[in-house]
Amino acid sequence: MPVWASGFESRIPHYDLGFMITSTQNPLVKLFKKLQTAKHRRELDTLFLEGNNLIDEAVQADRTFEVFCFTESWRDRNPDLYSWGVDRSDRIELVSDEVLKAMTMTVNPEGVVASCLKRAMTDVAIDSFGLVLDRVQDPGNVGTMIRTAAGVGVDGLWASSDSADLDNPKVMRSSAGQWFRLPMMTVNHLPDRLREAQNAGMQIVTTTMTATMTLWDVDLTKPTLLVLGNEGAGLSPEIQALTDVPVSIPLARGVESLNVAIAAAVVMYEVQRQRSMLR
């Protein structure tokens, strides 16, 4: 059963834009609030999309929306995106500013939200260069790394099951829409998957302050998995033990470490730099 039919009367197709939803008690508000929790996103098998970037990238990725809600002012400001959204939505609703704000997670929402079904998770193969997250739990960090990884052009991303949910709305917003462009998956037992990759010839690179070599000293043109750990605790001991190449990032005196998303960006672009020299 589609999510828009769960718990209230389905009205598909719904194009009566002369009617505006003005009550924050409307069942649609409750639906979008449910989609802000991992439990309900899993149960409904549905993504929560908020803001222009995610809506635009979803359109570019040829996704269809189950429910597409927007304010009058948003529609007037974004006629092209509005038209694209309407063309690929099952249910379309004009809502008041108050209702839209009740549906969203941001303090100053842009004026548009949508839901769409998740696609079946497929295995993400990494043959040349991949990003791996071990217990990275801040959604903003995960989304930022997704954005950077897409920009660098990595093969894909693997995340441990105890990292932030990849479909967390904050992850998706922090990716600035690049969420739809990067192949990614959650791996239930990450150490086993890393051992398989090592057996296939990939080197596991991790960052640590105690490494004797910097990222500039190692060969990152080889097939590489860059593994980043938890913001406070770092890598789990089992993952740390699998490291082939520990590297450090040179820092000025007195600076202890970088934010994990920044560290990931520095190393990923060094990988890209080294490989560009081979072309």
Side-chain angles (χ1 to χ4, degrees), residues 153-171:
V154 306
D155 296 340
L157 178 149
W158 297 341
S160 64
S161 57
D162 48 0
S163 290
D165 289 328
L166 294 177
D167 65 4
N168 181 300
K170 188 174 180 181
V171 168

Side-chain angles (χ1 to χ4, degrees), residues 50-58 110 139-140 142-148 150 168-181:
E50 177 186 346
N52 288 6
N53 279 336
L54 281 176
I55 299 297
D56 186 28
E57 288 294 335
E110 291 183 271
V142 174
T144 299
M145 286 189 278
I146 289 171
R147 182 180 184 179
T148 306
N168 181 300
K170 188 174 180 181
V171 168
M172 300 183 75
R173 289 198 311 276
S174 298
S175 78
Q178 300 310 302
W179 191 91
F180 290 100
R181 296 181 182 270

Side-chain angles (χ1 to χ4, degrees), residues 79-278:
D80 291 339
L81 193 52
Y82 162 73
S83 178
W84 295 333
V86 166
D87 287 345
R88 58 185 60 245
S89 298
D90 293 325
R91 178 174 178 177
I92 302 160
E93 296 288 357
L94 178 65
V95 301
S96 67
D97 291 345
E98 183 182 13
V99 167
L100 194 286
K101 190 165 187 176
M103 290 175 164
T104 60
M105 301 176 70
T106 55
V107 176
N108 297 302
E110 291 183 271
V112 62
V113 294
S115 66
C116 70
L117 284 176
K118 297 180 185 179
R119 286 183 174 168
M121 182 174 288
T122 57
D123 189 72
V124 174
I126 297 176
D127 301 314
S128 178
F129 179 35
L131 179 64
V132 182
L133 310 183
D134 174 34
R135 304 181 301 164
V136 179
Q137 295 176 345
D138 182 271
N141 284 334
V142 174
T144 299
M145 286 189 278
I146 289 171
R147 182 180 184 179
T148 306
V152 170
V154 306
D155 296 340
L157 178 149
W158 297 341
S160 64
S161 57
D162 48 0
S163 290
D165 289 328
L166 294 177
D167 65 4
N168 181 300
K170 188 174 180 181
V171 168
M172 300 183 75
R173 289 198 311 276
S174 298
S175 78
Q178 300 310 302
W179 191 91
F180 290 100
R181 296 181 182 270
L182 182 69
M184 67 186 89
M185 65 180 291
T186 298
V187 178
N188 286 329
H189 194 67
L190 187 57
D192 287 348
R193 190 61 185 260
L194 293 180
R195 290 187 189 97
E196 291 175 8
Q198 282 179 314
N199 291 336
M202 300 200 76
Q203 64 177 354
I204 294 178
V205 175
T206 62
T207 60
T208 172
M209 293 183 292
T210 60
T212 58
M213 294 187 295
T214 74
L215 74 163
W216 301 324
D217 301 322
V218 300
D219 183 1
L220 297 173
T221 64
K222 299 177 182 178
T224 297
L225 289 174
L226 171 61
V227 186
L228 281 303
N230 176 269
E231 291 86 347
L235 294 168
S236 62
E238 190 173 7
I239 299 295
Q240 186 72 63
L242 294 172
T243 300
D244 296 308
V245 185
V247 301
S248 63
I249 299 173
L251 299 173
R253 185 182 299 275
V255 179
E256 292 187 359
S257 64
L258 296 176
N259 167 275
V260 65
I262 299 300
V266 170
V267 180
M268 282 192 281
Y269 273 98
E270 174 61 12
V271 174
Q272 186 190 69
R273 187 196 68 80
Q274 289 190 20
R275 294 181 179 200
S276 69
M277 302 295 286
L278 301 178

